[in-house]
């Protein structure tokens, strides 16, 4: 059987990363196995080590991919909106929605992976990828809020409220409290 071309290999790698990114956000790091990721990507388990050194390597890259996906979405909102204020409002309303709460596999990696990252070693690749994603989110949200403080305090509070609200709303899903959490966070952050 002929070996796949470089283009095919890169396509397969991207498919594995996309699958891992969604599964890790949905099920957490410990809830995902390499065979599950490969099956979700439509590939056999045997090809995994052609693309990644280990599950830890895959998870770190999946975290980076999840954060990059959301970075592109924030950039698209900024380009589409009439100004930063409108883009910020659209972002916050989307982030603090029941749709985001109910689709963790397509949601924010910062909210989805916080617990997993908190339990990793300080020098783990996952933590490094997560922190890079968080720093990018801080920069992006700072650009969306022209009145934010230079020391990022306002932006850090926004991220803490946003991610915390999504995490708590997911934990309370199925109870009225879940929607109340999202509404309270939107009301707190979305000001005209």
């Amino acid at each position: 059987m002929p070996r796949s071309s470089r283009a095919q290999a890169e396509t397969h790698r991207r498919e594995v990363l996309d699958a891992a990114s969604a599964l890790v956000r949905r099920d957490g790091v410990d809830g995902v196995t390499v065979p599950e990721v490969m099956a979700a990507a439509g590939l056999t388990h045997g090809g995994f080590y052609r693309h990644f050194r280990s599950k830890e390597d895959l998870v770190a890259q999946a975290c980076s991919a999840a954060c990059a996906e959301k970075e592109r979405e924030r950039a698209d909102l900024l380009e589409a909106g009439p100004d930063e204020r409108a883009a910020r409002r659209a972002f916050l309303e989307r982030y603090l929605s029941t749709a985001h709460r109910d689709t963790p596999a397509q949601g924010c990696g910062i909210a989805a992976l916080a617990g997993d990252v908190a339990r990793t070693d300080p020098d783990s690749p996952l933590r490094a990828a997560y922190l890079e994603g968080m720093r990018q989110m801080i920069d992006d949200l700072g650009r969306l809020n022209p009145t934010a403080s230079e020391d990022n305090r306002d932006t850090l509070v926004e991220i803490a409220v946003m991610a915390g609200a999504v995490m708590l709303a997911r934990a309370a899903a199925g109870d009225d409290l879940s929607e109340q959490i999202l509404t309270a966070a939107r009301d707190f952050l979305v000001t005209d």
Side-chain angles (χ1 to χ4, degrees), residues 34-35 38 43-51:
V34 169
M38 296 303 285
L43 301 169
T44 63
H45 178 238
F48 175 79
Y49 291 101
R50 276 183 246 146
H51 303 288

Side-chain angles (χ1 to χ4, degrees), residues 29-77:
V29 172
D30 291 336
V32 174
T33 66
V34 169
E36 288 171 328
V37 170
M38 296 303 285
L43 301 169
T44 63
H45 178 238
F48 175 79
Y49 291 101
R50 276 183 246 146
H51 303 288
F52 305 96
R53 292 184 306 274
S54 63
K55 179 184 174 187
E56 183 181 43
D57 179 37
L58 170 66
V59 168
Q61 290 189 46
C63 178
S64 293
C67 291
E69 176 187 314
K70 296 306 163 190
E71 181 183 346
R72 285 187 299 276
E73 287 179 16
R74 290 188 298 269
D76 290 347
L77 281 172

Side-chain angles (χ1 to χ4, degrees), residues 112-131:
L113 296 173
D116 288 312
V117 172
R119 289 184 288 276
T120 65
D121 292 330
D123 60 344
S124 77
L126 175 57
R127 185 177 297 260
Y130 185 88
L131 290 173

Side-chain angles (χ1 to χ4, degrees), residues 7-151:
Q8 271 184 312
E10 186 52 38
T11 298
H12 289 167
R13 184 180 180 288
R14 173 58 34 207
E15 290 167 345
V16 173
L17 265 181
D18 290 346
S21 176
L23 289 171
V24 168
R25 284 182 278 178
R26 187 189 73 193
D27 299 334
V29 172
D30 291 336
V32 174
T33 66
V34 169
E36 288 171 328
V37 170
M38 296 303 285
L43 301 169
T44 63
H45 178 238
F48 175 79
Y49 291 101
R50 276 183 246 146
H51 303 288
F52 305 96
R53 292 184 306 274
S54 63
K55 179 184 174 187
E56 183 181 43
D57 179 37
L58 170 66
V59 168
Q61 290 189 46
C63 178
S64 293
C67 291
E69 176 187 314
K70 296 306 163 190
E71 181 183 346
R72 285 187 299 276
E73 287 179 16
R74 290 188 298 269
D76 290 347
L77 281 172
L78 190 55
E79 288 177 23
D83 59 26
E84 293 93 354
R85 187 170 298 236
R88 178 179 177 273
R89 182 182 188 94
F91 173 72
L92 290 171
E93 287 177 350
R94 181 185 296 177
Y95 195 99
L96 295 166
S97 69
T98 55
H100 184 214
R101 176 198 64 200
D102 296 342
T103 56
Q106 288 78 43
C108 174
I110 302 300
L113 296 173
D116 288 312
V117 172
R119 289 184 288 276
T120 65
D121 292 330
D123 60 344
S124 77
L126 175 57
R127 185 177 297 260
Y130 185 88
L131 290 173
E132 180 58 33
M134 187 180 289
R135 286 185 179 94
Q136 187 60 54
M137 188 175 189
I138 292 165
D139 290 346
D140 291 350
L141 290 180
R143 282 194 296 279
L144 291 176
N145 186 359
T147 62
S149 61
E150 252 184 70
D151 64 359

